[in-house]
Amino acid sequence: EPAALAAPAEFPASATSAPASAPTRPAKRPKTAAPAAAVAWTLRLGACVDAAACLLDESRGLACSHAKQVACFDPATGAVRWTARIGDAGDQSDVLEDASIEATCVVSKGLAFVGSYDGCLYAISTEDGSVKWTYRCGGPIKRAAVIVDGDVVFGAHDRRVRRVDADGALVWASDDLRGAVYASPVVAGSVVVAATTGGGAAHGLDVSTGATVWRYRATRAPIFARPTAAGDAVVFGDVA
């Protein structure tokens, strides 16, 4: 009989191989517990805090509460540098016992600007918390203003947007926008875009004069969120 043929060297007779597509399971890694969060400090402001804090620099921040308080604090330690009380200068008919400041401060050239339920915009020194001036309009100011070339642009529940200068003098006031301006306005080039709750419209206002350039209304549903400028477009959502 002829001798048996030897298996090729690369495939020994005793060797077995798994299919190329056979899955392999990765080795299990030991589970590790997530590190527990630790509270570094707590700053109590007398009532609920609805607005985001505003950081001036690494050593100073501003926080507001419905207790009519603005506090300057150290972000590292929570130590209070000064406090200011605002919200008493204007109309108190819309100022509830537990609601006064809902807007975030915006800062320009040593002044913090913040609106209140009493229908006033306040200019506060960031150095010592002293109130430098107030500007009174006809309804609550519930969201943050924006800074435009050193001026302050803000909306209010009296259905208007206003621009005041750094000394509190009125530059312009828009026409009646037929709905409360709850959200912060946004600047898109030469236009200030403001959204209204009543009627649910977005309004484009000339940044220099406040004149209405355009108006867009899709569903008549209220707009509560701040619009966003995206190139030549404005993006916003409503509650429809």
Side-chain angles (χ1 to χ4, degrees), residues 205-229:
L205 311 174
D206 185 286
V207 72
S208 298
T209 66
T212 299
V213 178
W214 52 260
R215 180 172 181 264
Y216 178 81
R217 183 171 61 187
T219 64
R220 297 178 181 268
I223 302 171
F224 289 102
R226 179 184 183 179
T228 298

Side-chain angles (χ1 to χ4, degrees), residues 136-227:
R136 184 172 179 174
C137 56
I141 304 167
K142 294 191 175 182
R143 285 295 178 264
V146 293
I147 304 299
V148 179
D149 296 331
D151 294 346
V152 189
V153 177
F154 63 97
H157 275 231
D158 64 355
R159 316 202 308 183
R160 299 180 188 275
V161 174
R162 292 173 174 83
R163 177 173 177 169
V164 299
D165 67 19
D167 295 319
L170 179 66
V171 177
W172 54 255
S174 73
D175 293 333
D176 185 341
L177 300 183
R178 292 178 271 177
V181 183
Y182 179 85
S184 296
V186 63
V187 179
S190 61
V191 174
V192 175
V193 181
T196 57
T197 55
H203 303 258
L205 311 174
D206 185 286
V207 72
S208 298
T209 66
T212 299
V213 178
W214 52 260
R215 180 172 181 264
Y216 178 81
R217 183 171 61 187
T219 64
R220 297 178 181 268
I223 302 171
F224 289 102
R226 179 184 183 179

Side-chain angles (χ1 to χ4, degrees), residues 57-187:
D57 49 43
E58 292 183 355
S59 63
R60 296 179 301 163
L62 297 175
C64 306
S65 82
H66 280 304
K68 299 185 176 183
Q69 279 197 55
V70 180
C72 181
F73 63 93
D74 185 329
T77 66
V80 175
R81 296 175 176 271
W82 54 256
T83 60
R85 180 182 172 93
I86 68 170
D88 298 313
D91 182 8
Q92 299 298 305
S93 62
D94 289 307
V95 181
L96 306 178
E97 183 178 349
D98 62 346
S100 182
I101 308 172
E102 199 171 304
T104 299
C105 294
V106 294
V107 178
S108 176
K109 298 179 180 178
L111 291 177
F113 304 98
V114 63
S116 176
Y117 275 44
D118 68 343
C120 288
L121 180 74
Y122 292 81
I124 305 167
S125 167
T126 58
E127 291 300 317
D128 59 14
S130 58
V131 176
K132 297 302 183 182
W133 52 260
T134 62
Y135 180 89
R136 184 172 179 174
C137 56
I141 304 167
K142 294 191 175 182
R143 285 295 178 264
V146 293
I147 304 299
V148 179
D149 296 331
D151 294 346
V152 189
V153 177
F154 63 97
H157 275 231
D158 64 355
R159 316 202 308 183
R160 299 180 188 275
V161 174
R162 292 173 174 83
R163 177 173 177 169
V164 299
D165 67 19
D167 295 319
L170 179 66
V171 177
W172 54 255
S174 73
D175 293 333
D176 185 341
L177 300 183
R178 292 178 271 177
V181 183
Y182 179 85
S184 296
V186 63
V187 179

